[in-house]
Amino acid sequence: MKVLVIGSGAREHALCWKLKQSRHVKQIFAAPGSDGMAKVATLVPIGVGEIDKLLAFARENRVDLTVVGPEDPLVAGIVDRFQKKGLRIYGPGQNAARLEGSKAYAKDVMRRHAIPTAGHKTYDKPEPALEYLTHCDYPVVLKADGLAAGKGVSIVEDYAQAEAAVKECMVRKRFGDAGKRLLIEDFLQGEEISVHAITDGHNILPLCLAQDHKRVGDGDSGENTGGMGTYSPLPQVEEATSDQIQEEIIVRSVHAMNREEVPFRGTMFVGVMLTKQGPRVLEYNVRFGDPETQTILARLKGDLFEILSATVDGKLDQVQADWDERTAVTVVLASGGYPRDFAKGYKIHGLEYDLGPDVMVFHAGTKKVDGEWFTNGGRVLSVTALGQDLQEARAKAYAAIEKIRFDKMIYRKDIGWRGMK
Ligand SMILES: Nc1ncnc2c1ncn2[C@@H]1O[C@H](COP(=O)(O)OP(=O)(O)O)[C@@H](O)[C@H]1O
Ligand SMILES: [Mg+2]
């Protein structure tokens, strides 16, 4: 079988790496991919937004299955476009992808189907939003409705901060059309976890729980990022809690989409806050998380191609997946200045070492020039290690990182700290 993976980050590198292990997969194409993926995939110079070209490529090269990494093409309707031409593609259709593409829509679905989430209000104009903000309880959470590359959410402590954020979003239109509508959400307190499930609309395959570290600095300090590291399993989350999440959030969400007549097929990745009152949905994503995927796939014992392919065919009940009992830890190596301004083009040393069977290095933002590696993005590499427990997995990941260096390299030294308590 020939597979096309769309995207170029460490998540897509991990998807290619795992798909490559399938006995069904003969060739993998990655569009646009990255130099770091060239060992496992044939690179195709087409961007993730160029749906016409991706479609033409998949037809001409007789691709058997296309797997979409990032959210933008899903929200833009790539799945419907491929399916109309009879091409097999993994991911939700445009209507179902609205769960991620519009936070207001997601809230409506949750309200109609009693899925636990924070209370909220939606506004189309700044004046009534500002009026509400004069008498609400702080902190509150302001969210742009649409896709804003992870920058559309601000937690504000008082009216002055709230007013600035509302104007930024609705008057100065920092997020363009994505900020036409604004959600004001009650602030939830608790520990945040990443819950992934694969579903064909009827059958559900829960993936192992993971936890991301969003802030750039140790001890969860500094700015929010795309994610600085993950680990799995989560020793601090009891089985009863994880069962409750499955029932009240995952199963209910899949059924909700069926009752809404927009069946969801693909990866449902829910950000969940574990509050004193129980688990609450923070948001839906309609694709695999980055860097969660690196950790989850390191623990997956099963054929990823079979799983994704069965999902497309509505036969997810016919495949199996088991989980490696060991712990996986992923640490993201970033370029100093990330998530704001950072430079590119620093030489990367140490990628030539063999780090052993339990350590994987996935490339996020790298470039190969004349046989040497250089940084080419904010998040540069994802180092994933497996160990008998969290302590050992962490030790292995950080020992591997000791061998890798580039100027201005930054990374968190405390990945997994909430699980160590
Ligand atoms: N209601 C809330 N209470 C507390 N924190 C929140 C709430 N909603 C979001 N957050 C925080 O803001 C982050 C980003 O919000 P999220 O809804 O996931 O948007 P996005 O990932 O699209 O930026 C979350 O990971 C969480 O840390
Ligand atoms: Mg999020």
Side-chain angles (χ1 to χ4, degrees):
M1 298 280 181
K2 291 189 201 172
V3 183
L4 168 64
V5 173
I6 296 175
S8 62
R11 164 183 55 202
E12 287 78 12
H13 188 181
L15 286 166
C16 290
W17 165 80
K18 191 71 192 176
L19 285 165
K20 181 96 183 165
Q21 294 166 24
S22 166
R23 63 191 171 88
H24 306 286
V25 174
K26 244 189 20 224
Q27 189 174 14
I28 303 177
F29 299 104
S34 78
D35 294 340
M37 290 153 73
K39 259 193 210 160
V40 283
T42 306
L43 306 184
V44 178
I46 304 177
V48 300
E50 300 180 284
I51 296 180
D52 289 331
K53 287 189 187 169
L54 292 167
L55 192 63
F57 178 87
R59 292 184 81 176
E60 282 159 21
N61 292 279
R62 301 180 185 279
V63 167
D64 297 287
L65 178 70
T66 298
V67 179
V68 187
E71 61 274 21
D72 303 74
L74 293 168
V75 172
I78 190 170
V79 170
D80 313 70
R81 295 279 311 280
F82 270 56
Q83 281 173 347
K84 245 182 233 145
K85 299 284 182 202
L87 292 167
R88 298 172 73 250
I89 181 165
Y90 175 85
Q94 187 165 31
N95 285 340
R98 286 180 74 207
L99 270 187
E100 178 165 0
S102 166
K103 291 186 191 291
Y105 170 74
K107 283 290 196 186
D108 287 343
V109 172
M110 288 188 267
R111 183 175 39 76
R112 287 197 285 269
H113 301 276
I115 296 163
T117 185
H120 85 290
K121 294 180 184 309
T122 304
Y123 295 95
D124 291 311
K125 291 201 171 67
E127 296 80 13
L130 290 169
E131 197 280 324
Y132 172 72
L133 289 163
T134 59
H135 57 80
C136 68
D137 287 332
Y138 285 91
V140 287
V141 185
L142 271 47
K143 298 187 175 184
D145 176 42
L147 295 184
K151 295 184 177 5
V153 173
S154 26
I155 297 171
V156 295
E157 305 286 339
D158 54 37
Y159 182 80
Q161 287 179 7
E163 185 186 25
V166 170
K167 292 197 165 152
E168 180 99 346
C169 177
M170 299 187 96
V171 182
R172 281 194 292 278
K173 303 201 188 318
R174 177 177 171 204
F175 312 114
D177 278 354
K180 265 184 157 170
R181 302 174 99 185
L182 179 78
L183 279 72
I184 303 182
E185 242 181 69
D186 298 340
F187 179 78
L188 297 176
Q189 213 135 25
E191 190 168 325
E192 199 175 330
I193 64 172
S194 299
V195 183
H196 285 70
I198 290 178
T199 176
D200 61 10
H202 299 284
N203 308 289
I204 298 172
L205 174 70
L207 304 186
C208 57
L209 298 181
Q211 186 167 53
D212 191 8
H213 300 62
K214 298 258 171 216
R215 304 297 192 97
V216 71
D218 284 355
D220 292 333
S221 61
E223 282 195 87
N224 257 330
T225 69
M228 295 299 288
T230 50
Y231 66 106
S232 174
L234 309 177
Q236 71 276 36
V237 179
E238 285 169 19
E239 211 174 306
T241 306
S242 116
D243 290 347
Q244 193 184 359
I245 293 170
Q246 286 309 318
E247 279 164 38
E248 294 178 6
I249 295 178
I250 300 296
V251 172
R252 229 180 261 180
S253 299
V254 171
H255 289 170
M257 294 305 278
N258 285 333
R259 289 207 290 275
E260 298 276 329
E261 293 180 8
V262 273
F264 189 97
R265 267 188 191 178
T267 306
M268 190 181 270
F269 155 24
V270 192
V272 172
M273 189 76 96
L274 303 177
T275 75
K276 283 207 180 99
Q277 290 74 39
R280 299 280 183 273
V281 175
L282 289 171
E283 66 155 350
Y284 289 98
N285 302 285
V286 299
R287 35 83 196 171
F288 288 103
D290 186 348
E292 286 88 345
T293 302
Q294 294 86 300
T295 286
I296 291 171
L297 294 184
R299 290 191 61 212
L300 175 65
K301 285 162 99 181
D303 185 318
L304 182 64
F305 177 84
E306 282 180 7
I307 294 169
L308 302 184
S309 188
T311 304
V312 171
D313 297 337
K315 294 177 178 166
L316 190 52
D317 53 331
Q318 294 177 15
V319 293
Q320 266 188 326
D322 287 312
W323 299 100
D324 196 320
E325 297 283 324
R326 291 177 296 170
T327 294
V329 168
T330 297
V331 181
V332 171
L333 306 183
S335 198
Y338 174 79
R340 286 187 180 257
D341 298 329
F342 54 84
K344 296 178 184 177
Y346 297 119
K347 191 172 172 200
I348 307 172
H349 303 267
L351 288 179
E352 67 279 15
Y353 292 111
D354 179 8
L355 299 167
D358 296 340
V359 179
M360 281 71 70
V361 178
F362 299 116
H363 290 235
T366 66
K367 210 178 159 83
K368 200 174 192 181
V369 183
D370 296 334
E372 297 193 74
W373 289 100
F374 295 89
T375 71
N376 194 36
R379 290 194 291 179
V380 176
L381 297 161
S382 251
V383 178
T384 302
L386 282 161
Q388 289 309 320
D389 54 18
L390 182 50
Q391 210 143 5
E392 192 187 286
R394 268 165 65 119
K396 278 184 172 170
Y398 286 115
I401 290 168
E402 286 290 308
K403 299 200 169 122
I404 300 170
R405 70 191 158 82
F406 53 86
D407 273 358
K408 308 273 183 349
M409 179 170 105
I410 57 165
Y411 60 94
R412 280 185 61 164
K413 320 273 188 301
D414 63 347
I415 300 304
W417 69 275
R418 287 177 190 273
M420 300 285 285
K421 283 184 292 192

